[in-house]
Amino acid sequence: MDVPSHPMTAHVDCRGVSEILGRIGDKWTVLVVMSLNEQPRRFNDIKRRVGGISQQMLTRTLKMLERDGMVARDVRDTTPPQVEYRLTELGRSLADPVNQLGAWANANLAAINGNRTRYDMRNADAG
Amino acid sequence: MDVPSHPMTAHVDCRGVSEILGRIGDKWTVLVVMSLNEQPRRFNDIKRRVGGISQQMLTRTLKMLERDGMVARDVRDTTPPQVEYRLTELGRSLADPVNQLGAWANANLAAINGNRTRYDMRNADAG
DNA sequence: CAGAATCCACCAGGATACTG
DNA sequence: CAGTATCCTGGTGGATTCTG
């Protein structure tokens, strides 16, 4: 069971964090998960909710989530076809730590942005 | 300060998660933070602890963290120079949600990998 | 509606060489 | 030791076209 060459394998939870960020740390995955966490949705419904995502990326993201067993795909064979996506138990369980991160973000993003601005102002003229 | 064009701005914590993943969701940031969460460390000490990171990326990562106010840089002007990095209060506070994510990862990565394998096997021949 | 396929741009990130 | 500067590649992700 070799994790290809991920760093800090000595520290177990470090590897875990690194692994999981490699999976959900992309631009859209958590947004899709969070939209599905509210309720099952169909393709274009998700696309509308997660504004700005291309159809290509939504397809890819859903496929990866399905592959990981985070999302289930229910097809109703009508015309036009209706495909509904829903979180599995695994997918729902991810929402908890993600929301923790969201809470931290909302509590600290303003401070971080302030830090950035000050840092940039200091290094603008002073170098 | 305009957040360039991040999706789902209507849902506050969604934007927060997206924002924060844009900052810490890269390949090295959390690993550096976690290594500094144990104790303050110097440049090459971090580099050794976070195996596999290039010196270039460590430089960048530390600079971004310093810019965000997550890491403080203490320079002792000796020869050779000694530079120690430590987490700020903000940086330490990030460790909590990150560890939550790590716990989730360690609890579920095996299942996810299993799901992947099964998914790939199903779609290998069956298409 | 729910995708598949293709093309393309950008940039994260690695490698290397150089510096004070 | 603690960086900086430069070059380069692979992959992420956007846009567009086509299909059942």
Side-chain angles (χ1 to χ4, degrees):
Chain A
M1 186 82 41
D2 59 341
V3 178
S5 72
H6 264 289
M8 290 194 83
T9 42
H11 300 69
V12 182
D13 51 356
C14 293
R15 199 211 51 166
V17 171
S18 201
E19 272 277 315
I20 209 59
L21 282 181
R23 292 164 190 267
I24 70 163
D26 69 341
K27 194 171 180 180
W28 301 111
T29 296
V30 293
L31 295 177
V32 170
V33 168
M34 294 182 83
S35 85
L36 289 178
N37 193 38
E38 303 174 7
Q39 61 181 269
R41 293 181 190 282
R42 290 171 53 190
F43 189 88
N44 282 296
D45 190 9
I46 304 173
K47 190 170 186 310
R48 273 184 298 271
R49 301 273 309 180
V50 183
I53 189 171
S54 67
Q55 155 261 58
Q56 164 78 295
M57 284 313 298
L58 181 53
T59 301
R60 285 193 205 171
T61 302
L62 286 171
K63 201 164 289 185
M64 302 224 65
L65 286 170
E66 191 192 353
R67 185 175 179 230
D68 285 348
M70 312 263 286
V71 160
R73 186 169 173 274
D74 299 331
V75 184
R76 213 142 339 145
D77 209 354
T78 60
T79 41
Q82 297 191 354
V83 182
E84 194 174 73
Y85 293 91
R86 57 181 170 82
L87 291 187
T88 62
E89 192 61 37
L90 182 62
R92 268 191 302 276
S93 73
L94 176 60
D96 294 329
V98 163
N99 285 329
Q100 297 288 323
L101 206 59
W104 185 91
N106 288 321
N108 296 288
L109 268 179
I112 293 180
N113 286 327
N115 292 335
R116 287 210 161 187
T117 302
R118 259 170 290 146
Y119 182 96
D120 291 345
M121 288 188 68
R122 273 200 309 273
N123 296 49
D125 39 24
Chain B
M1 267 311 156
D2 57 340
V3 178
S5 74
H6 265 289
M8 290 192 82
T9 42
H11 299 71
V12 181
D13 52 357
C14 294
R15 201 212 49 168
V17 171
S18 202
E19 271 277 316
I20 209 58
L21 282 181
R23 291 164 191 268
I24 70 164
D26 69 343
K27 195 172 180 179
W28 300 112
T29 296
V30 293
L31 294 176
V32 170
V33 168
M34 293 182 85
S35 84
L36 289 178
N37 194 37
E38 302 173 9
Q39 60 181 272
R41 294 181 190 282
R42 290 170 52 191
F43 189 88
N44 282 296
D45 189 8
I46 304 173
K47 190 170 186 310
R48 274 184 297 273
R49 300 274 308 180
V50 182
I53 189 173
S54 68
Q55 151 263 60
Q56 165 78 294
M57 283 313 297
L58 181 53
T59 300
R60 284 193 206 171
T61 302
L62 286 170
K63 200 163 290 183
M64 300 222 66
L65 286 171
E66 191 193 352
R67 185 176 179 231
D68 286 346
M70 311 264 286
V71 159
R73 185 169 173 275
D74 300 331
V75 184
R76 215 143 336 146
D77 209 353
T78 60
T79 42
Q82 296 191 354
V83 182
E84 195 174 75
Y85 293 91
R86 58 181 169 80
L87 290 187
T88 62
E89 192 60 37
L90 181 62
R92 268 192 301 278
S93 73
L94 177 59
D96 292 330
V98 164
N99 284 330
Q100 298 287 324
L101 206 58
W104 184 90
N106 289 319
N108 297 288
L109 269 178
I112 293 179
N113 286 328
N115 291 337
R116 287 209 163 188
T117 303
R118 258 169 291 146
Y119 182 95
D120 291 344
M121 288 188 66
R122 273 200 308 273
N123 295 49
D125 39 22

